[in-house]
Amino acid sequence: MKRKLLIKLEAVVLLLTLSSICAGGLVYLWEIPEREQDRLVRELTLRQNAWVLLDRAKGHDTNIGQVLALTTLNELGDSLERLDLPNTSVENADLREVSMSFADLEGASISYSNFSGGTLFGANMNKVMGSGAVFNGTQMIRAQFCSAKLQNANFSSAKVLEVDFRGADLSRTDFSFANVGGADFTGAYLNGADFTHAINLTQEQVASACIGKHRMVWVGRIARPNSEAPKLPEGFSIPPVCQDVEFLPLEHREVRPPHILCDS
């Protein structure tokens, strides 16, 4: 008798448990449209605030929130194509796999920002300050980096086809395994740059660049001359010595030779 009663009680408990689970599931399903709507509203608010902030940030040489705005938009999957943000600080931004074709960042500070895996077709990066920037695996056909300061930047495995590097400072920049077909290195500083296993590199490209005899590299607080030859594929000749105007630290003199005129 007791055994039958215990079985009945267990059945009642099981039934109540299943009913509770079903009720919870129905409530969850009922609330899905509301939760989805809340999510969409939050995303819309984030997008609107980010674009407003980017518009206000144009020309600011300090970060007033534009880095967070850019990373937020990129994480939401928004396209940043034709972004207009010249002469603005965009340092230390995580913009991996960003879509930024034909964007205008001329004169911007992009040091240590990460654009790896992104798309920058035709982007205007003329005169950017991009020390330590990462473009690993980036697609950037016909982008412009004329007179840019890209010391220690990373372009490894990137597609830099027909990219304009005229007069750029590419000291210790990594182009290993990058496809540099048609890229213009006229007047660019290649001190210590790494072109090992670079694809479609020609001797003509290397010869059009130069090694800055009096280029300076900062070691702590001390500026030392850096005339290190670039790492080139076997059989390539090193570029000629640049005609540096003055023996001065890098930030106190123009990067590009006087004859280099950048196209905006």
Side-chain angles (χ1 to χ4, degrees):
M1 183 69 179
K2 290 182 179 180
R3 181 177 178 79
K4 290 182 179 179
L5 182 60
L6 182 61
I7 292 174
K8 288 182 179 179
L9 287 173
E10 288 177 347
V12 170
V13 171
L14 179 61
L15 182 61
L16 289 174
T17 302
L18 291 173
S19 299
S20 178
I21 292 173
C22 291
L26 288 172
V27 171
Y28 180 82
L29 292 173
W30 180 267
E31 291 178 349
I32 282 179
E34 184 177 346
R35 287 197 302 274
E36 180 66 14
Q37 184 177 6
D38 289 344
R39 183 185 68 80
L40 292 175
V41 170
R42 286 196 301 271
E43 287 189 3
L44 179 61
T45 302
L46 284 171
R47 283 188 172 94
Q48 290 176 336
N49 291 341
W51 284 112
V52 169
L53 200 155
L54 288 179
D55 189 57
R56 292 175 179 173
K58 288 181 182 178
H60 276 265
D61 57 3
T62 57
N63 182 20
I64 62 170
Q66 61 269 28
V67 171
L68 178 59
L70 286 170
T71 54
T72 297
L73 291 170
N74 189 45
E75 289 173 358
L76 290 173
D78 284 22
S79 171
L80 296 176
E81 291 186 1
R82 302 187 185 279
L83 175 72
D84 185 25
L85 210 62
N87 303 306
T88 306
S89 176
V90 191
E91 295 185 356
N92 296 293
D94 185 356
L95 294 171
R96 286 172 288 182
E97 300 184 0
V98 69
S99 177
M100 200 177 275
S101 294
F102 305 105
D104 184 4
L105 292 175
E106 181 169 351
S109 180
I110 61 171
S111 295
Y112 305 104
S113 288
N114 192 342
F115 300 86
S116 59
T119 305
L120 280 75
F121 294 153
N124 180 6
M125 299 278 193
N126 288 340
K127 305 175 187 176
V128 296
M129 305 286 288
S131 177
V134 179
F135 298 93
N136 178 48
T138 302
Q139 310 280 325
M140 52 176 64
I141 299 170
R142 294 185 179 177
Q144 298 170 292
F145 286 89
C146 178
S147 296
K149 295 183 179 181
L150 297 166
Q151 307 95 322
N152 297 299
N154 185 350
F155 288 89
S156 62
S157 301
K159 281 190 177 180
V160 292
L161 300 172
E162 300 182 32
V163 171
D164 183 1
F165 287 111
R166 291 175 301 143
D169 189 342
L170 303 175
S171 301
R172 298 187 179 180
T173 296
D174 186 358
F175 285 98
S176 58
F177 297 96
N179 191 338
V180 298
D184 191 348
F185 294 99
T186 303
Y189 292 96
L190 300 186
N191 295 44
D194 186 356
F195 285 92
T196 54
H197 306 291
I199 302 169
N200 293 321
L201 180 69
T202 67
Q203 182 62 59
E204 289 74 18
Q205 286 173 303
V206 174
S208 70
C210 57
I211 301 174
K213 184 178 180 181
H214 300 306
R215 302 304 286 169
M216 307 298 287
V217 59
W218 286 96
V219 180
R221 296 184 178 183
I222 302 174
R224 301 183 185 280
N226 169 30
S227 56
E228 183 183 358
K231 298 176 183 177
L232 299 169
E234 186 177 353
F236 276 68
S237 300
I238 62 173
V241 174
C242 301
Q243 299 300 313
D244 287 339
V245 179
E246 300 176 80
F247 186 79
L248 290 173
L250 195 60
E251 73 272 21
H252 294 313
R253 64 165 183 250
E254 192 71 280
V255 172
R256 67 178 186 276
H259 64 281
I260 298 294
L261 297 175
C262 299
D263 302 321
S264 299

